[in-house]
Every structure is written in C-alpha cells, then in structure tokens.
PDB file of all heavy atoms in Angstrom:
ATOM      1  N   ALA A 284      96.110 116.850  98.631  1.00  0.00           N
ATOM      2  CA  ALA A 284      97.448 116.990  99.372  1.00  0.00           C
ATOM      3  C   ALA A 284      98.608 117.103  98.448  1.00  0.00           C
ATOM      4  O   ALA A 284      99.656 117.782  98.827  1.00  0.00           O
ATOM      5  CB  ALA A 284      97.444 115.791 100.394  1.00  0.00           C
ATOM      6  N   THR A 285      98.657 116.415  97.370  1.00  0.00           N
ATOM      7  CA  THR A 285      99.690 116.398  96.420  1.00  0.00           C
ATOM      8  C   THR A 285      99.822 117.974  95.819  1.00  0.00           C
ATOM      9  O   THR A 285     100.871 118.441  95.702  1.00  0.00           O
ATOM     10  CB  THR A 285      99.595 115.380  95.405  1.00  0.00           C
ATOM     11  OG1 THR A 285      99.488 114.141  96.036  1.00  0.00           O
ATOM     12  CG2 THR A 285     100.808 115.417  94.432  1.00  0.00           C
ATOM     13  N   LEU A 286      98.679 118.452  95.558  1.00  0.00           N
ATOM     14  CA  LEU A 286      98.562 119.788  95.076  1.00  0.00           C
ATOM     15  C   LEU A 286      99.182 120.845  96.162  1.00  0.00           C
ATOM     16  O   LEU A 286     100.047 121.782  95.812  1.00  0.00           O
ATOM     17  CB  LEU A 286      97.177 120.348  94.765  1.00  0.00           C
ATOM     18  CG  LEU A 286      96.668 119.690  93.465  1.00  0.00           C
ATOM     19  CD1 LEU A 286      95.255 120.373  93.252  1.00  0.00           C
ATOM     20  CD2 LEU A 286      97.482 120.053  92.250  1.00  0.00           C
ATOM     21  N   MET A 287      98.862 120.546  97.522  1.00  0.00           N
ATOM     22  CA  MET A 287      99.407 121.305  98.548  1.00  0.00           C
ATOM     23  C   MET A 287     101.048 121.140  98.600  1.00  0.00           C
ATOM     24  O   MET A 287     101.639 122.109  98.798  1.00  0.00           O
ATOM     25  CB  MET A 287      98.770 120.930  99.852  1.00  0.00           C
ATOM     26  CG  MET A 287      97.240 121.267  99.942  1.00  0.00           C
ATOM     27  SD  MET A 287      96.554 120.496 101.424  1.00  0.00           S
ATOM     28  CE  MET A 287      97.310 121.393 102.836  1.00  0.00           C
ATOM     29  N   ALA A 288     101.476 119.863  98.449  1.00  0.00           N
ATOM     30  CA  ALA A 288     102.859 119.621  98.365  1.00  0.00           C
ATOM     31  C   ALA A 288     103.610 120.405  97.244  1.00  0.00           C
ATOM     32  O   ALA A 288     104.633 121.009  97.330  1.00  0.00           O
ATOM     33  CB  ALA A 288     103.120 118.196  98.159  1.00  0.00           C
ATOM     34  N   LYS A 289     102.779 120.388  96.155  1.00  0.00           N
ATOM     35  CA  LYS A 289     103.365 121.139  94.874  1.00  0.00           C
ATOM     36  C   LYS A 289     103.416 122.674  95.235  1.00  0.00           C
ATOM     37  O   LYS A 289     104.515 123.382  94.901  1.00  0.00           O
ATOM     38  CB  LYS A 289     102.453 120.848  93.662  1.00  0.00           C
ATOM     39  CG  LYS A 289     102.971 121.602  92.399  1.00  0.00           C
ATOM     40  CD  LYS A 289     102.108 121.222  91.268  1.00  0.00           C
ATOM     41  CE  LYS A 289     102.552 121.971  90.040  1.00  0.00           C
ATOM     42  NZ  LYS A 289     101.637 121.538  88.869  1.00  0.00           N
ATOM     43  N   ASP A 290     102.635 123.187  95.866  1.00  0.00           N
ATOM     44  CA  ASP A 290     102.483 124.633  96.274  1.00  0.00           C
ATOM     45  C   ASP A 290     103.715 124.834  97.231  1.00  0.00           C
ATOM     46  O   ASP A 290     104.636 125.762  97.057  1.00  0.00           O
ATOM     47  CB  ASP A 290     101.339 125.019  96.954  1.00  0.00           C
ATOM     48  CG  ASP A 290     100.216 125.341  96.061  1.00  0.00           C
ATOM     49  OD1 ASP A 290     100.509 125.543  94.768  1.00  0.00           O
ATOM     50  OD2 ASP A 290      99.069 125.623  96.531  1.00  0.00           O
ATOM     51  N   TYR A 291     103.854 123.971  98.266  1.00  0.00           N
ATOM     52  CA  TYR A 291     105.114 124.170  99.245  1.00  0.00           C
ATOM     53  C   TYR A 291     106.261 124.004  98.497  1.00  0.00           C
ATOM     54  O   TYR A 291     107.273 124.910  98.720  1.00  0.00           O
ATOM     55  CB  TYR A 291     104.864 122.990 100.335  1.00  0.00           C
ATOM     56  CG  TYR A 291     106.082 122.894 101.204  1.00  0.00           C
ATOM     57  CD1 TYR A 291     106.322 123.742 102.271  1.00  0.00           C
ATOM     58  CD2 TYR A 291     106.976 121.986 100.810  1.00  0.00           C
ATOM     59  CE1 TYR A 291     107.462 123.532 103.008  1.00  0.00           C
ATOM     60  CE2 TYR A 291     108.278 121.727 101.557  1.00  0.00           C
ATOM     61  CZ  TYR A 291     108.406 122.684 102.664  1.00  0.00           C
ATOM     62  OH  TYR A 291     109.464 122.580 103.412  1.00  0.00           O
ATOM     63  N   LEU A 292     106.463 123.029  97.681  1.00  0.00           N
ATOM     64  CA  LEU A 292     107.846 122.911  96.944  1.00  0.00           C
ATOM     65  C   LEU A 292     108.017 124.049  96.002  1.00  0.00           C
ATOM     66  O   LEU A 292     109.304 124.424  95.871  1.00  0.00           O
ATOM     67  CB  LEU A 292     107.868 121.455  96.262  1.00  0.00           C
ATOM     68  CG  LEU A 292     107.808 120.335  97.198  1.00  0.00           C
ATOM     69  CD1 LEU A 292     107.557 118.982  96.567  1.00  0.00           C
ATOM     70  CD2 LEU A 292     109.003 120.164  98.128  1.00  0.00           C
ATOM     71  N   THR A 293     107.130 124.516  95.391  1.00  0.00           N
ATOM     72  CA  THR A 293     107.167 125.672  94.493  1.00  0.00           C
ATOM     73  C   THR A 293     107.664 126.934  95.274  1.00  0.00           C
ATOM     74  O   THR A 293     108.676 127.630  94.859  1.00  0.00           O
ATOM     75  CB  THR A 293     105.853 125.975  93.701  1.00  0.00           C
ATOM     76  OG1 THR A 293     105.611 124.903  92.879  1.00  0.00           O
ATOM     77  CG2 THR A 293     106.067 127.172  92.795  1.00  0.00           C
ATOM     78  N   LEU A 294     107.165 127.067  96.475  1.00  0.00           N
ATOM     79  CA  LEU A 294     107.559 128.172  97.261  1.00  0.00           C
ATOM     80  C   LEU A 294     109.010 128.026  97.618  1.00  0.00           C
ATOM     81  O   LEU A 294     109.849 128.996  97.658  1.00  0.00           O
ATOM     82  CB  LEU A 294     106.752 128.365  98.557  1.00  0.00           C
ATOM     83  CG  LEU A 294     105.447 129.067  98.347  1.00  0.00           C
ATOM     84  CD1 LEU A 294     104.541 128.885  99.759  1.00  0.00           C
ATOM     85  CD2 LEU A 294     105.734 130.538  98.219  1.00  0.00           C
ATOM     86  N   LYS A 295     109.382 126.821  97.982  1.00  0.00           N
ATOM     87  CA  LYS A 295     110.766 126.543  98.462  1.00  0.00           C
ATOM     88  C   LYS A 295     111.881 126.501  97.350  1.00  0.00           C
ATOM     89  O   LYS A 295     112.892 126.951  97.477  1.00  0.00           O
ATOM     90  CB  LYS A 295     110.738 125.168  99.313  1.00  0.00           C
ATOM     91  CG  LYS A 295     111.946 124.931 100.071  1.00  0.00           C
ATOM     92  CD  LYS A 295     111.743 123.851 101.156  1.00  0.00           C
ATOM     93  CE  LYS A 295     112.834 123.677 102.000  1.00  0.00           C
ATOM     94  NZ  LYS A 295     112.915 124.672 103.077  1.00  0.00           N
ATOM     95  N   PHE A 296     111.444 125.906  96.142  1.00  0.00           N
ATOM     96  CA  PHE A 296     112.476 125.763  95.190  1.00  0.00           C
ATOM     97  C   PHE A 296     112.133 126.350  93.808  1.00  0.00           C
ATOM     98  O   PHE A 296     112.975 126.292  92.918  1.00  0.00           O
ATOM     99  CB  PHE A 296     112.562 124.165  94.790  1.00  0.00           C
ATOM    100  CG  PHE A 296     113.006 123.257  95.946  1.00  0.00           C
ATOM    101  CD1 PHE A 296     112.176 122.717  96.780  1.00  0.00           C
ATOM    102  CD2 PHE A 296     114.448 123.361  96.332  1.00  0.00           C
ATOM    103  CE1 PHE A 296     112.525 121.922  97.912  1.00  0.00           C
ATOM    104  CE2 PHE A 296     114.726 122.736  97.496  1.00  0.00           C
ATOM    105  CZ  PHE A 296     113.911 121.943  98.217  1.00  0.00           C
ATOM    106  N   GLY A 297     111.151 127.079  93.791  1.00  0.00           N
ATOM    107  CA  GLY A 297     110.794 127.698  92.454  1.00  0.00           C
ATOM    108  C   GLY A 297     109.874 126.769  91.607  1.00  0.00           C
ATOM    109  O   GLY A 297     109.538 125.794  91.980  1.00  0.00           O
ATOM    110  N   PRO A 298     109.506 127.348  90.361  1.00  0.00           N
ATOM    111  CA  PRO A 298     108.668 126.390  89.523  1.00  0.00           C
ATOM    112  C   PRO A 298     109.180 125.027  89.288  1.00  0.00           C
ATOM    113  O   PRO A 298     110.404 124.839  89.203  1.00  0.00           O
ATOM    114  CB  PRO A 298     108.658 127.251  88.215  1.00  0.00           C
ATOM    115  CG  PRO A 298     109.127 128.722  88.507  1.00  0.00           C
ATOM    116  CD  PRO A 298     110.075 128.464  89.710  1.00  0.00           C
ATOM    117  N   LEU A 299     108.257 124.117  89.385  1.00  0.00           N
ATOM    118  CA  LEU A 299     108.598 122.680  89.157  1.00  0.00           C
ATOM    119  C   LEU A 299     107.938 122.100  87.881  1.00  0.00           C
ATOM    120  O   LEU A 299     106.914 122.555  87.519  1.00  0.00           O
ATOM    121  CB  LEU A 299     108.093 121.908  90.371  1.00  0.00           C
ATOM    122  CG  LEU A 299     108.363 122.368  91.675  1.00  0.00           C
ATOM    123  CD1 LEU A 299     107.646 121.590  92.689  1.00  0.00           C
ATOM    124  CD2 LEU A 299     109.782 122.240  92.083  1.00  0.00           C
ATOM    125  N   GLU A 300     108.705 121.130  87.309  1.00  0.00           N
ATOM    126  CA  GLU A 300     107.998 120.392  86.172  1.00  0.00           C
ATOM    127  C   GLU A 300     107.527 119.188  86.818  1.00  0.00           C
ATOM    128  O   GLU A 300     108.067 118.152  86.975  1.00  0.00           O
ATOM    129  CB  GLU A 300     109.092 120.122  85.161  1.00  0.00           C
ATOM    130  CG  GLU A 300     109.418 121.348  84.347  1.00  0.00           C
ATOM    131  CD  GLU A 300     110.202 121.019  83.101  1.00  0.00           C
ATOM    132  OE1 GLU A 300     109.879 119.866  82.502  1.00  0.00           O
ATOM    133  OE2 GLU A 300     111.006 121.862  82.668  1.00  0.00           O
ATOM    134  N   PHE A 301     106.255 119.317  87.473  1.00  0.00           N
ATOM    135  CA  PHE A 301     105.553 118.389  88.164  1.00  0.00           C
ATOM    136  C   PHE A 301     104.086 118.463  87.926  1.00  0.00           C
ATOM    137  O   PHE A 301     103.531 119.490  88.105  1.00  0.00           O
ATOM    138  CB  PHE A 301     105.937 118.462  89.660  1.00  0.00           C
ATOM    139  CG  PHE A 301     105.220 117.434  90.591  1.00  0.00           C
ATOM    140  CD1 PHE A 301     105.550 116.109  90.542  1.00  0.00           C
ATOM    141  CD2 PHE A 301     104.263 117.957  91.371  1.00  0.00           C
ATOM    142  CE1 PHE A 301     104.663 115.212  91.203  1.00  0.00           C
ATOM    143  CE2 PHE A 301     103.552 116.979  92.203  1.00  0.00           C
ATOM    144  CZ  PHE A 301     103.699 115.700  92.133  1.00  0.00           C
ATOM    145  N   ASP A 302     103.450 117.282  87.577  1.00  0.00           N
ATOM    146  CA  ASP A 302     101.929 117.295  87.403  1.00  0.00           C
ATOM    147  C   ASP A 302     101.484 116.242  88.418  1.00  0.00           C
ATOM    148  O   ASP A 302     101.665 115.034  88.353  1.00  0.00           O
ATOM    149  CB  ASP A 302     101.618 116.726  85.965  1.00  0.00           C
ATOM    150  CG  ASP A 302     100.194 116.886  85.682  1.00  0.00           C
ATOM    151  OD1 ASP A 302      99.343 116.816  86.619  1.00  0.00           O
ATOM    152  OD2 ASP A 302      99.771 116.981  84.513  1.00  0.00           O
ATOM    153  N   ALA A 303     100.720 116.807  89.506  1.00  0.00           N
ATOM    154  CA  ALA A 303     100.240 116.008  90.498  1.00  0.00           C
ATOM    155  C   ALA A 303      99.080 114.927  89.928  1.00  0.00           C
ATOM    156  O   ALA A 303      98.896 114.019  90.729  1.00  0.00           O
ATOM    157  CB  ALA A 303      99.571 116.908  91.529  1.00  0.00           C
ATOM    158  N   ALA A 304      98.572 115.174  88.897  1.00  0.00           N
ATOM    159  CA  ALA A 304      97.588 114.328  88.263  1.00  0.00           C
ATOM    160  C   ALA A 304      98.182 113.145  87.509  1.00  0.00           C
ATOM    161  O   ALA A 304      97.409 112.292  87.116  1.00  0.00           O
ATOM    162  CB  ALA A 304      96.537 115.007  87.455  1.00  0.00           C
ATOM    163  N   LEU A 305      99.373 113.091  87.219  1.00  0.00           N
ATOM    164  CA  LEU A 305     100.053 112.040  86.344  1.00  0.00           C
ATOM    165  C   LEU A 305     100.187 110.725  87.088  1.00  0.00           C
ATOM    166  O   LEU A 305      99.798 109.614  86.530  1.00  0.00           O
ATOM    167  CB  LEU A 305     101.435 112.322  85.893  1.00  0.00           C
ATOM    168  CG  LEU A 305     101.489 113.345  84.718  1.00  0.00           C
ATOM    169  CD1 LEU A 305     102.904 113.608  84.293  1.00  0.00           C
ATOM    170  CD2 LEU A 305     100.700 112.887  83.609  1.00  0.00           C
ATOM    171  N   LYS A 306     100.488 110.757  88.307  1.00  0.00           N
ATOM    172  CA  LYS A 306     100.629 109.355  89.071  1.00  0.00           C
ATOM    173  C   LYS A 306      99.298 109.121  89.841  1.00  0.00           C
ATOM    174  O   LYS A 306      98.742 109.894  90.669  1.00  0.00           O
ATOM    175  CB  LYS A 306     101.759 109.428  90.022  1.00  0.00           C
ATOM    176  CG  LYS A 306     102.016 108.183  90.759  1.00  0.00           C
ATOM    177  CD  LYS A 306     103.191 108.248  91.695  1.00  0.00           C
ATOM    178  CE  LYS A 306     103.428 106.946  92.351  1.00  0.00           C
ATOM    179  NZ  LYS A 306     103.105 107.037  93.884  1.00  0.00           N
ATOM    180  N   PRO A 307      98.633 108.030  89.470  1.00  0.00           N
ATOM    181  CA  PRO A 307      97.398 107.669  90.224  1.00  0.00           C
ATOM    182  C   PRO A 307      97.736 107.670  91.695  1.00  0.00           C
ATOM    183  O   PRO A 307      98.720 107.159  92.186  1.00  0.00           O
ATOM    184  CB  PRO A 307      97.020 106.322  89.612  1.00  0.00           C
ATOM    185  CG  PRO A 307      97.793 106.198  88.380  1.00  0.00           C
ATOM    186  CD  PRO A 307      98.993 107.023  88.447  1.00  0.00           C
ATOM    187  N   GLN A 308      96.728 108.215  92.472  1.00  0.00           N
ATOM    188  CA  GLN A 308      96.795 108.035  93.879  1.00  0.00           C
ATOM    189  C   GLN A 308      96.747 106.612  94.412  1.00  0.00           C
ATOM    190  O   GLN A 308      95.980 105.825  93.833  1.00  0.00           O
ATOM    191  CB  GLN A 308      95.661 108.840  94.494  1.00  0.00           C
ATOM    192  CG  GLN A 308      95.549 110.279  94.213  1.00  0.00           C
ATOM    193  CD  GLN A 308      96.858 111.029  94.549  1.00  0.00           C
ATOM    194  OE1 GLN A 308      97.460 110.837  95.625  1.00  0.00           O
ATOM    195  NE2 GLN A 308      97.399 111.788  93.615  1.00  0.00           N
ATOM    196  N   GLY A 309      97.680 106.321  95.343  1.00  0.00           N
ATOM    197  CA  GLY A 309      97.826 104.811  95.774  1.00  0.00           C
ATOM    198  C   GLY A 309      98.642 103.924  94.908  1.00  0.00           C
ATOM    199  O   GLY A 309      98.819 102.782  95.217  1.00  0.00           O
ATOM    200  N   ALA A 310      99.233 104.505  93.787  1.00  0.00           N
ATOM    201  CA  ALA A 310     100.054 103.562  92.987  1.00  0.00           C
ATOM    202  C   ALA A 310     101.392 103.492  93.802  1.00  0.00           C
ATOM    203  O   ALA A 310     101.809 104.345  94.481  1.00  0.00           O
ATOM    204  CB  ALA A 310     100.375 104.475  91.654  1.00  0.00           C
TER     205      ALA A 310
END
C-alpha cells in the first residue's frame, strides 16, 4: 500500500525522495 501511495504521489507531484522500505510497517 505504501508503494501504491508512492506511485500516486509521484504522479501528482513528480519524483519523490522517499523510500517506502525505510520506516518499518506499524512503527
């Protein structure tokens, strides 16, 4: 779901400096 969010936000705002794997899920 976080990867899906990254795709959505990239479409909306352009390339992001965001790694969906950095923050553990549930943190």
Side-chain angles (χ1 to χ4, degrees):
T285 306
L286 289 179
M287 292 168 69
K289 182 178 179 178
D290 279 350
Y291 166 83
L292 294 170
T293 298
L294 276 172
K295 194 162 184 79
F296 297 101
L299 307 172
E300 290 195 28
F301 173 67
D302 188 331
L305 281 180
K306 182 178 181 248
Q308 300 303 316

